[in-house]
Amino acid sequence: MESSGTAEPTNPEAAPEKVLDHEKKIEDSADQMDEDLSSNDGSDVEVDEKTLKCLAELESKIRSNPAAYDAHVDYIALLVKSKLFNKAQIARKAMQSQFPLSEELWMELLEAEMELAQTSNDLVELMALFDLAVKDYLSVDLWNQYLEFTIGCIPAVTNMLPEGLVKFRALAERALASCGLHVKRGHVIWKTYIKFEIGVEAVQEENEKNAQVEVIRKLYHRALGVPLAEQKSIMAEWKAWEAAHDVLEKQLPESVFEVFKDAKEMLEIRASFEEQIGEEGSVVNERVLAVFLAYIRLEEAQNIPARAICLYERAVAVFPINSSLWMKYAHYVEIQVKSFEVVRNVYERAQRNLPWVGEVWAETIRSYERLDQDIDEIRSVCKKALAAGLQGPEEYMTVLLAWLDVVRVLKVSKREEGRPGFVPMEVVRQEFARAMEVMGSYFPEYMDKSHRIPAYWADCEISFGGEDGLERARKIWEDLIATDAKNYYETWSMYAAMEFRAKAFPAVRKLYKKAVCKEILKGPHRVALCHEWKRFEREHGTSVSYMKSAVNFDPVLAEATWNHDSFCIDAIEKAISSVPTLTPEQHKSLKRKALRAGEGRKQQKKEKSETPNQGAEEASTAEDNSTAGAERKAEDRGGDRLGENRGRGRGRGRHDQRDHGRRGRGEFRGRGRGRGDYHGRGRGGYAGRGREGGEYGRWGRGRGRRGRGRGAGIGFVEIGANKSAGEGGLSNDDFRKMLE
């Protein structure tokens, strides 16, 4: 492209002012993309049917999803390959409206635009396009081409007019600020800048040259103080330039050599990092990222923000979709630079590179609040985030929580009504309700088990919701457990935790009981809540409340233990399998026997109430023997006898005595409402044992010191190997028949 010498002088200052207009034109071209992509290119280029089919498929994909980055890239490449340059240019602009472009794509776009530029307005638009290009990523080549374009195509700069010099120097300083500290390729910008200034010196009058010489000398001195890969060549050029101006090397200032020496040492420290990084963009992997991060730590430790920022820019140019790297960069700028414009620039570029990552938008929202931006501007960022194509409910949740954080902070930090940024409690409630509505409408099937938004809202109500804050918080949770959220342990646990923080212990206990006893929760959720309930009662309840609550949670925990005990499960299954299967006739037979047994017991009770107990006399004898401590003996009808009785008793007692008269030992035992000795149930009991090995037992109605309680029973006596009826008793066979 050649600029006309008669063209109206173009004011480069207007270029930055035209950036927004140019962005609008790009957006307009993107809106018209459907028509332009399908239109005839106006050339005689023939495209084969297969290529046309591929182009149509890519066009359709881009129309349906403008955020499909790969589709844009493939489409532009195929258009260029097919020599459809006009369409390729339109496609580049459409892509630029959606995404930041790589250095390669920008170069193609700018070269095509420069070939088409003819008027001064075209030059102004190109300046605006260059401004957009250098904002996406750090690129030494783009900045250098921007400078070369300005020198060659902007008349005021080309003719080295005073206003042109001012504008070029301002642009060159921007280029140095952006990539002049680039260790590997920063020398390109320095040399272009110095070369231009030397050119200015060549056309100046003699009376102006001295001032221009000082400009060039200072520029060389600045460059020699920066650790650059081509540092030695810059030193050689400086010496040659000084020699051309009759300045011998021995006359050069020592301070410049000292600065050069320091820069050389700095370069040696960084050389290993630069070597490991290699040609930027040629290798992109975790190892290179690790090298960048280590390199960044080195620069941050030097406490020179400009050098660290330059390195961050190099890193994000190689790893543009690494969200953690962008956030690290943004936080560093916010802390070190503390300029809203600089911080906003970093965050906006991160958003363009990662529009689907919620954390990028969330950090932008919080950063705007930290930098005291208006709440309406912060709200606009939140709305933009929700429309940016976030991927999944968690990304939306991250953005909404960040916005609610800002609302809460503004409510708390600006409490006085009338102060800028004051947020009434009603607005806080509206924003929380709107956030829950967004999540419910976008993701109706999504269940946030942590209930981050409603739990946050409830805490805000308690903290600064006024006197009825606690009741409002409870209403939030009650509305929640009226939904399917009631089926999750986390819901009840967090509700109880809120009541616990409010010191409402009875309410906590009531919640646990409601969830467990009404069996709202099932399976592991119920068991987990029982464990929590048990801990609450142990740490914050009384022994009485623990006992009452244990009735509810202990069976659940015990069942859970059984279910996890394989041995217990096997034993239960084995016991069940060993039970015989009864036929219906057997069931009926057992039922009839049970009925008959019940009628027999009723008849026995009736006879006992009508007839005096046969053991009354024996009970009286037992009481006498207990008082006097006399010897007892059993009737002997041909041998030792064994007597045994059964009875029931209310008391409990035990007494042993030795029988000196019969060379034997006696013992009284009675167990309250339980079992007596041997085969007996009774209210009192007595047994004696002799050396001959015979045993006898007697039960009676009396009271005695040796057997507290009263009893009446039935006994049997066994004589040697024979069996016969004993006094007041039945034979063994008769007794067993009765039991059967």
Side-chain angles (χ1 to χ4, degrees):
M1 181 200 71
E2 295 180 0
S3 60
S4 174
T6 61
E8 181 181 353
T10 304
N11 183 6
E13 186 178 9
E17 297 175 357
K18 295 288 185 178
V19 171
L20 295 179
D21 293 337
H22 191 77
E23 289 178 342
K24 182 66 168 60
K25 289 182 180 180
I26 290 176
E27 291 176 1
D28 293 341
S29 67
D31 294 337
Q32 297 175 357
M33 187 175 179
D34 289 350
E35 299 177 5
D36 295 336
L37 293 181
S38 302
S39 64
N40 195 317
D41 199 23
S43 63
D44 296 331
V45 176
E46 294 184 0
V47 182
D48 61 83
E49 186 177 351
K50 183 178 180 181
T51 302
L52 285 175
K53 184 178 179 181
C54 292
L55 288 172
E57 291 176 353
L58 290 169
E59 288 175 10
S60 176
K61 189 173 182 180
I62 292 171
R63 288 192 192 100
S64 61
N65 182 17
Y69 183 88
D70 292 337
H72 281 281
V73 174
D74 294 341
Y75 182 64
I76 293 169
L78 189 56
L79 287 172
V80 172
K81 183 179 179 181
S82 303
K83 298 183 179 180
L84 300 173
F85 300 116
N86 288 345
K87 284 186 177 181
Q89 192 70 350
I90 295 170
R92 291 189 191 99
K93 292 180 179 180
M95 182 179 179
Q96 196 276 333
S97 67
Q98 294 287 334
F99 301 102
L101 300 184
S102 65
E103 180 183 288
E104 181 182 359
L105 288 173
W106 269 119
M107 285 294 191
E108 294 174 359
L109 175 60
L110 290 167
E111 287 174 2
E113 288 293 320
M114 284 189 288
E115 289 178 1
L116 299 173
Q118 297 295 329
T119 66
S120 59
N121 288 333
D122 292 337
L123 297 178
V124 171
E125 290 184 6
L126 262 172
M127 292 285 288
L129 197 59
F130 267 111
D131 275 329
L132 290 176
V134 296
K135 285 181 179 178
D136 280 348
Y137 303 113
L138 184 149
S139 172
V140 174
D141 290 336
L142 278 175
W143 270 110
N144 194 54
Q145 186 166 357
Y146 192 2
L147 294 175
E148 295 287 355
F149 166 78
T150 305
I151 295 170
C153 300
I154 304 302
V157 179
T158 303
N159 298 326
M160 297 184 182
L161 301 177
E163 62 271 21
L165 296 180
V166 172
K167 302 311 177 185
F168 178 83
R169 287 167 180 167
L171 181 63
E173 290 296 334
R174 285 176 56 197
L176 288 178
S178 176
C179 49
L181 298 177
H182 194 303
V183 174
K184 191 171 291 183
R185 305 206 58 229
H187 64 277
V188 175
I189 304 300
W190 286 101
K191 289 186 176 183
T192 300
Y193 193 180
I194 293 171
K195 181 181 178 180
F196 174 79
E197 293 293 353
I198 292 175
V200 172
E201 179 194 6
V203 299
Q204 282 183 336
E205 299 292 337
E206 289 296 330
N207 59 347
E208 297 175 345
K209 285 190 175 181
N210 290 334
Q212 183 62 21
V213 167
E214 289 302 319
V215 170
I216 298 170
R217 182 173 285 126
K218 288 180 180 178
L219 199 54
Y220 268 122
H221 292 178
R222 288 172 59 192
L224 292 170
V226 178
L228 300 170
E230 297 294 325
Q231 195 178 37
K232 293 181 179 180
S233 66
I234 295 176
M235 171 64 79
E237 291 176 8
W238 173 56
K239 289 180 179 180
W241 180 82
E242 290 285 6
H245 290 76
D246 299 326
V247 179
L248 300 177
E249 184 173 345
K250 63 181 181 180
Q251 296 174 322
L252 298 177
E254 288 293 331
S255 59
V256 177
F257 289 100
E258 292 177 0
V259 170
F260 176 78
K261 182 180 178 181
D262 293 339
K264 185 178 179 181
E265 292 177 355
M266 295 172 65
L267 179 62
E268 291 174 354
I269 295 173
R270 291 158 177 78
S272 61
F273 291 107
E274 294 291 342
E275 183 180 353
Q276 293 180 70
I277 291 172
E279 188 66 28
E280 292 176 20
S282 60
V283 180
V284 180
N285 54 34
E286 293 182 356
R287 188 191 66 80
V288 176
L289 178 59
V291 174
F292 265 118
L293 293 175
Y295 198 176
I296 287 170
R297 284 196 295 271
L298 171 67
E299 295 294 0
E300 288 178 342
Q302 302 300 314
N303 200 24
I304 305 176
R307 298 198 60 82
I309 289 173
C310 180
L311 194 54
Y312 270 117
E313 287 290 347
R314 292 173 60 186
V316 296
V318 178
F319 299 94
I321 57 173
N322 188 301
S323 60
S324 61
L325 182 60
W326 276 106
M327 293 303 95
K328 183 178 175 64
Y329 180 21
H331 292 161
Y332 178 79
V333 170
E334 186 175 349
I335 294 170
Q336 296 295 330
V337 181
K338 300 178 182 178
S339 168
F340 174 69
E341 293 302 324
V342 176
V343 174
R344 179 168 62 180
N345 175 54
V346 175
Y347 276 115
E348 287 180 349
R349 291 165 58 210
Q351 293 161 16
R352 280 174 58 79
N353 281 275
L354 299 158
W356 62 86
V357 179
E359 188 62 28
V360 172
W361 294 97
E363 285 303 307
T364 304
I365 291 170
R366 293 191 179 95
S367 175
Y368 278 33
E369 186 277 322
R370 287 193 294 266
L371 296 171
D372 293 326
Q373 297 306 298
D374 186 78
I375 189 171
D376 291 332
E377 185 173 359
I378 304 174
R379 183 182 282 109
S380 67
V381 175
C382 183
K383 291 180 178 179
K384 188 178 178 182
L386 296 178
L390 299 173
Q391 302 297 307
E394 283 302 317
E395 302 297 334
Y396 282 87
M397 179 71 73
T398 301
V399 173
L400 290 171
L401 288 174
W403 166 242
L404 295 174
D405 288 346
V406 170
V407 173
R408 177 190 60 80
V409 169
L410 292 177
K411 169 63 181 174
V412 173
S413 62
K414 303 182 184 297
R415 293 181 179 274
E416 299 178 10
E417 189 170 356
R419 288 184 60 185
F422 174 77
V423 178
M425 190 60 198
E426 283 305 317
V427 174
V428 176
R429 294 186 180 112
Q430 291 173 8
E431 295 300 336
F432 271 103
R434 188 175 293 112
M436 293 183 67
E437 182 181 352
V438 168
M439 292 300 298
S441 61
Y442 284 18
F443 307 99
E445 302 299 325
Y446 174 70
M447 173 61 70
D448 176 25
K449 295 182 181 179
S450 299
H451 307 298
R452 284 165 284 185
I453 293 177
Y456 195 178
W457 186 0
D459 286 345
C460 288
E461 290 287 359
I462 294 175
S463 299
F464 40 84
E467 295 179 356
D468 60 342
L470 181 58
E471 291 304 319
R472 285 180 177 272
R474 286 171 175 160
K475 176 67 167 54
I476 294 169
W477 282 107
E478 289 297 330
D479 291 344
L480 195 61
I481 62 176
T483 66
D484 290 340
K486 67 177 179 294
N487 299 320
Y488 296 95
Y489 151 77
E490 292 84 357
T491 307
W492 296 92
S493 177
M494 295 183 71
Y495 189 2
M498 185 205 74
E499 296 285 7
F500 179 81
R501 290 193 296 272
K503 304 297 182 184
F505 292 168
V508 176
R509 190 173 290 111
K510 183 178 179 181
L511 281 174
Y512 286 139
K513 188 173 182 180
K514 181 179 179 180
V516 174
C517 297
K518 292 187 177 181
E519 297 188 3
I520 297 175
L521 292 179
K522 304 292 184 181
H525 295 275
R526 192 179 183 208
V527 174
L529 195 68
C530 284
H531 279 294
E532 190 173 301
W533 187 5
K534 182 176 182 179
R535 180 179 178 181
F536 167 77
E537 293 294 352
R538 182 168 50 80
E539 296 179 356
H540 303 283
T542 64
S543 57
V544 175
S545 67
Y546 183 92
M547 180 186 69
K548 291 181 178 179
S549 301
V551 174
N552 298 311
F553 59 68
D554 272 353
V556 178
L557 298 178
E559 182 181 356
T561 303
W562 295 338
N563 291 338
H564 287 83
D565 190 339
S566 59
F567 175 79
C568 183
I569 294 174
D570 294 342
I572 293 173
E573 291 178 350
K574 185 177 180 180
I576 292 173
S577 62
S578 64
V579 175
T581 303
L582 302 179
T583 63
E585 290 75 13
Q586 290 174 325
H587 277 290
K588 291 179 181 179
S589 176
L590 288 174
K591 188 174 181 180
R592 287 194 297 269
K593 288 182 180 180
L595 290 174
R596 286 197 300 271
E599 292 174 358
R601 285 193 294 271
K602 290 180 181 179
Q603 183 64 27
Q604 288 179 9
K605 288 181 180 179
K606 184 176 180 182
E607 292 176 356
K608 287 170 66 178
S609 61
E610 294 175 356
T611 306
N613 195 296
Q614 296 179 359
E617 182 179 351
E618 294 174 347
S620 177
T621 305
E623 185 176 0
D624 293 340
N625 290 342
S626 173
T627 305
E631 295 181 354
R632 298 181 182 275
K633 63 181 181 178
E635 295 184 7
D636 186 359
R637 297 180 180 180
D640 294 335
R641 307 182 215 185
L642 172 65
E644 186 165 357
N645 292 300
R646 289 176 176 267
R648 289 187 175 275
R650 295 178 182 170
R652 180 174 183 175
R654 175 171 181 157
H655 182 76
D656 295 342
Q657 72 167 7
R658 293 188 178 279
D659 188 348
H660 299 284
R662 289 280 295 174
R663 295 177 298 173
R665 184 174 62 185
E667 182 176 359
F668 268 102
R669 292 183 183 174
R671 303 196 178 207
R673 297 193 182 275
R675 288 186 176 277
D677 289 337
Y678 303 107
H679 298 274
R681 282 180 170 275
R683 297 176 178 171
Y686 174 86
R689 182 178 298 167
R691 287 187 180 179
E692 290 85 3
E695 291 187 13
Y696 63 93
R698 180 175 300 183
W699 294 63
R701 272 191 178 275
R703 283 182 176 274
R705 295 182 220 166
R706 297 175 184 156
R708 285 185 286 171
R710 294 178 299 173
I714 303 171
F716 65 87
V717 180
E718 182 175 335
I719 308 172
N722 301 317
K723 299 177 182 178
S724 62
E727 184 179 355
L730 300 174
S731 68
N732 289 350
D733 292 337
D734 293 339
F735 185 78
R736 291 193 180 95
K737 287 179 181 179
M738 184 196 73
L739 291 179
E740 294 174 357

